[in-house]
Amino acid sequence: MPFALIGFFLGVPNRGFEVVQWNLNKTIAWAPDRTGVDWRQIWLKLFLVIFCMILARSAAMAFNRYLDRHFDGRNPRTAIREIPAGIISANSALVLTVISSFLFIITCYFINRICFFLSPVALLVVLGYSYTKRFTPLCHLILGLGLSLAPIGAYLAMTGYFSLLPIFFSLAVIFWVSGFDIIYALQDEEFDKSQKLYSMPAWLGKSKALKVSELLHVLSGLCVVAAGILGGFAWLYWIGVVIFCGMLIYQHSIVKPHDLKKVNLAFMTANGIASVVFAAFVIADILIHY
């Protein structure tokens, strides 16, 4: 969600930098006004974007729980999840997936035409991720790809055209999410091997998987730096970059191959702070200098 908000607010002002753009806007509902800003329309569009993000996440999570229910039941760490614990039925999760997906596409229709046309592609990626652990250790990158659609999708919702700058934020998300998902997967290395599931830890071992995670987080940091240079952001943005990169370094300092006690602290807390604080500084920079 935080990076989706960055993509959205990037589309609000015309910041004046030159980027490669392919104008695909054939808007059904509301088009951005280049001569002025109607904040009522912006807040309405923001509501639709947030609603889309909630629906896409609901569909992806419900489908993942449905598809992995048998594995979750065998894994002591995940046996408490809703389906193996008997809190909800597998059919209920599947129904939630279908309803959320349908409402996602309908909501995209009321944003603009390009978002509507691309909505099935977005669903294909976020739902398809759940299959990837069955055949490739690159599943972490597919998860990152799914979440990386948020900033460029929100930017498309606001503007109706592609632009280079939000793509850099999407790349940052791919590498950031892939890196911390590898850290999270360290907990299931032995289980994944026993079930013939694929992950970086199961494929490379904990130590090498952590090295891959570190490399991905370096690439994520480089992407936010490149985005800052390309976008001509001011000092608030760079404070956000320092905090974001600092939290990436912190999570690698507390997780070791032989000590996974702080994985949840790295996965939940550190990444939550990194994304929310970074987004707050980026959006503040955009709005102050608009």
Side-chain angles (χ1 to χ4, degrees):
M1 185 68 75
F3 276 87
L5 295 178
I6 290 174
F8 181 86
F9 282 100
L10 280 175
V12 173
N14 182 358
R15 293 180 56 82
F17 50 80
E18 293 184 357
V19 295
V20 178
Q21 297 177 345
W22 302 271
N23 196 340
L24 301 173
N25 190 32
K26 299 295 183 181
T27 307
I28 293 174
W30 306 280
D33 183 359
R34 295 302 182 189
T35 62
V37 176
D38 183 346
W39 283 98
R40 292 172 299 179
Q41 297 289 5
I42 289 174
W43 294 124
L44 179 57
K45 186 87 56 111
L46 178 60
F47 169 78
L48 293 173
V49 167
I50 292 174
F51 191 46
C52 275
M53 297 300 160
I54 293 172
L55 291 169
R57 179 172 174 78
S58 297
M61 291 293 291
F63 188 63
N64 181 263
R65 295 294 186 267
Y66 171 80
L67 200 64
D68 285 353
R69 63 193 185 279
H70 300 302
F71 294 121
D72 287 343
R74 298 177 197 138
N75 188 342
R77 187 182 65 81
T78 58
I80 60 172
R81 287 178 175 173
E82 295 82 357
I83 296 177
I87 298 172
I88 64 171
S89 68
N91 286 340
S92 295
L94 191 58
V95 168
L96 177 59
T97 301
V98 173
I99 292 174
S100 297
S101 299
F102 175 75
L103 290 176
F104 173 77
I105 293 173
I106 294 300
T107 305
C108 287
Y109 176 87
F110 288 103
I111 292 176
N112 59 33
R113 185 176 295 182
I114 186 63
C115 287
F116 175 62
F117 287 158
L118 291 177
S119 59
V121 178
L123 285 175
L124 180 64
V125 175
V126 299
L127 297 181
Y129 153 72
S130 294
Y131 287 101
T132 57
K133 201 171 182 180
R134 291 156 169 78
F135 61 85
T136 177
L138 300 180
C139 53
H140 313 284
L141 288 167
I142 305 303
L143 176 62
L145 177 63
L147 294 181
S148 76
L149 300 177
I152 188 63
Y155 185 86
L156 280 172
M158 193 63 226
T159 65
Y161 56 78
F162 287 101
S163 184
L164 187 59
L165 182 57
I167 292 175
F168 272 96
F169 285 107
S170 289
L171 289 172
V173 171
I174 290 178
F175 299 132
W176 169 56
V177 171
S178 302
F180 74 64
D181 191 56
I182 290 173
I183 292 175
Y184 192 68
L186 293 171
Q187 303 172 101
D188 294 330
E189 177 192 2
E190 295 305 322
F191 178 80
D192 289 346
K193 288 179 179 178
S194 70
Q195 300 297 311
K196 295 183 171 52
L197 295 173
Y198 291 82
S199 69
M200 283 292 175
W203 183 38
L204 300 174
K206 290 184 177 67
S207 296
K208 290 182 180 179
L210 272 174
K211 294 297 183 184
V212 174
S213 176
E214 290 172 3
L215 174 60
L216 290 168
H217 280 163
V218 168
L219 292 174
S220 182
L222 291 175
C223 285
V224 296
V225 169
I229 295 171
L230 177 64
F233 289 99
W235 61 275
L236 279 173
Y237 179 89
W238 294 107
I239 292 176
V241 170
V242 170
I243 295 172
F244 181 77
C245 293
M247 295 309 297
L248 296 184
I249 294 170
Y250 169 71
Q251 63 184 283
H252 285 282
S253 73
I254 63 174
V255 176
K256 305 299 179 184
H258 56 276
D259 184 5
L260 303 180
K261 291 183 294 187
K262 296 183 178 179
V263 164
N264 284 330
L265 176 62
F267 182 75
M268 300 291 186
T269 308
N271 285 301
I273 293 172
S275 58
V276 171
V277 174
F278 177 64
F281 276 98
V282 176
I283 292 168
D285 190 279
I286 293 170
L287 296 179
I288 288 172
H289 296 94
Y290 167 63

